[in-house]
Amino acid sequence: MTGVSRRKFLKTTSAGALAAGSGGLAGILATGRAPAYAQQTTVHWLRWNDFVPACDQLLRQKLLPEAEKALGIKVRYETVNGNDLQPRITSGIQSGAGPDLIMLFNNHPHLYKASLADVSDVADEIGKAQGGWYKLCTANSSSGGKYFSMPMAIIGAMNAYRKSWFAEVGYNEFPKTWDQYRDVGKKLKAKGYPIGQSFGQSFGDPPTFAYPLLWSFGGAEIDDKGKVVINSKATVDAVKWMAAAWTDAFDEGGLAWDDASNNRAFLAGTICSTLNGASIYIESMRKPEQYKQANGKPLKEDILHAPLPAGPAGQFGFHTYTSHVMPNYSKNQQATKDLLRFIHKKENYDQWFTTGLGFYTPGTMSWENHDLWKKDPVMAPFAVAGKLGLTPGYPGEPNAKAAEVLTKYLIGNMFAGAIRGQKAEDAVAACEAQLKKIYEG
């Protein structure tokens, strides 16, 4: 066997080559960086399949390659259906292995709080630099001043509606009350264009409709002390209204819809209005030749946005909130935090935000005056979604119990039960029994 000198070995290894090229050990120390072979930490980031595909494209093709170069890491970027995010984090926590960074919705981080790393240093840094977090963000992502999820953005929920069709039945602006909304829906359903609303088992559109409807009639799942108060006249009235309006004014297939079904229906011209993020309008802007009105004009010219109507107790909103959590099992916590800092750095986040064209409302207040909101009046209502949105469990705290209610779709299922023919009082009583098991069991 031929002998290999130490000098020759060092010269033929990557570390030796690096050392030789940088002046040996002194050169390495002078750079302030470890050799490249020790730098390749891989951060596994799990997000949803974005409703604005261009945002995913920006991350994959530009921002993440830049992050890898700047931070000396590798990023494994994986996307799944939004409804699959919770099963993935549950599996990861149970097995002690999985993605380092996981996207979650609304107050779901509270469910996993004991298994999540503290990201307060990153959240405090970004919040301070960008005008402070909205209460919606702090309530969903923190407790006792400690952040266990990093706020990402708010997906404003507004009614996208066909302004020409509403005008045809006497409404030159979006209805102010639920009864007016039922009236316009009834008239347009008779013409073949009902209101479209999902009441299926999905994370986005069903709860963002069901919770404000409940609150606007004066109902609530709990009071501000955490006591279950769902079984009230106000709740029964809300459920009765929904069951009757469903037959009169809504597309009755909505019980089986997920968060993409209403997008497809609206873009196909089969519904007149739906509660949604801005993705319908954004898609119609991106593909004006594909989505058109019956008169041949671009569909985007006939879309406006408005908040949900008011009920006897007022007008309310619930906007889908997104954040990222880092489970305790992650062995790459510093690199993951560095990635979060990079993405939320103002110039990087601005690219992502503007690519989304307003589908995402930033969680800090300084973005309210961004030029994007001024360029297109159709998008203007989304600018203050973070200021106006309430959290699950209102008027109580959006804690783990309220998160369990949300993740089990109990409020939406209460309305869906009555839509299917269950007596309103019985649907409310059934919901009450389930809520008591969670809050008082």
Side-chain angles (χ1 to χ4, degrees), residues 106-107 109-110 113 116 119-120 123 135-143 145-152 321-325 398:
N106 300 313
N107 60 345
H110 283 270
K113 181 169 62 172
L116 302 177
V119 292
S120 298
K135 182 180 179 181
L136 169 65
C137 301
T138 57
N140 281 319
S141 281
S142 70
S143 179
K146 175 183 175 181
Y147 282 84
F148 42 83
S149 83
M150 178 64 189
M152 183 66 179
Y321 170 72
T322 69
S323 66
H324 290 100
V325 299

Side-chain angles (χ1 to χ4, degrees), residues 50-56 58 278-279 281-283 285-286 349-361 372-373 379:
D50 207 300
F51 273 70
V52 183
C55 287
D56 269 340
L58 176 76
S279 54
Y281 177 65
I282 291 170
E283 177 70 3
M285 285 197 298
R286 291 191 184 278
Y349 189 91
D350 185 80
Q351 294 178 59
W352 180 78
F353 164 62
T354 54
T355 296
L357 299 177
F359 177 73
Y360 292 107
T361 300
L372 182 147
W373 305 120
M379 291 300 301

Side-chain angles (χ1 to χ4, degrees), residues 13-20 22 24-25 27-29 31-41 72:
T13 62
S14 59
L18 176 63
S22 58
L25 179 60
I28 293 173
L29 295 175
T31 68
R33 296 177 64 86
Y37 70 89
Q39 286 285 314
Q40 294 303 304
T41 298

Side-chain angles (χ1 to χ4, degrees), residues 274-291:
T274 189
L275 182 70
N276 202 62
S279 54
I280 289 173
Y281 177 65
I282 291 170
E283 177 70 3
S284 73
M285 285 197 298
R286 291 191 184 278
K287 300 177 181 177
E289 296 303 316
Q290 180 176 340
Y291 301 112

Side-chain angles (χ1 to χ4, degrees), residues 353-396:
F353 164 62
T354 54
T355 296
L357 299 177
F359 177 73
Y360 292 107
T361 300
T364 49
M365 301 177 195
S366 65
W367 297 85
E368 284 182 19
N369 297 316
H370 195 281
D371 287 344
L372 182 147
W373 305 120
K374 303 170 186 176
K375 291 179 180 177
D376 188 350
V378 179
M379 291 300 301
F382 291 95
V384 292
K387 182 183 293 185
L388 302 179
L390 298 177
T391 52
Y394 171 83

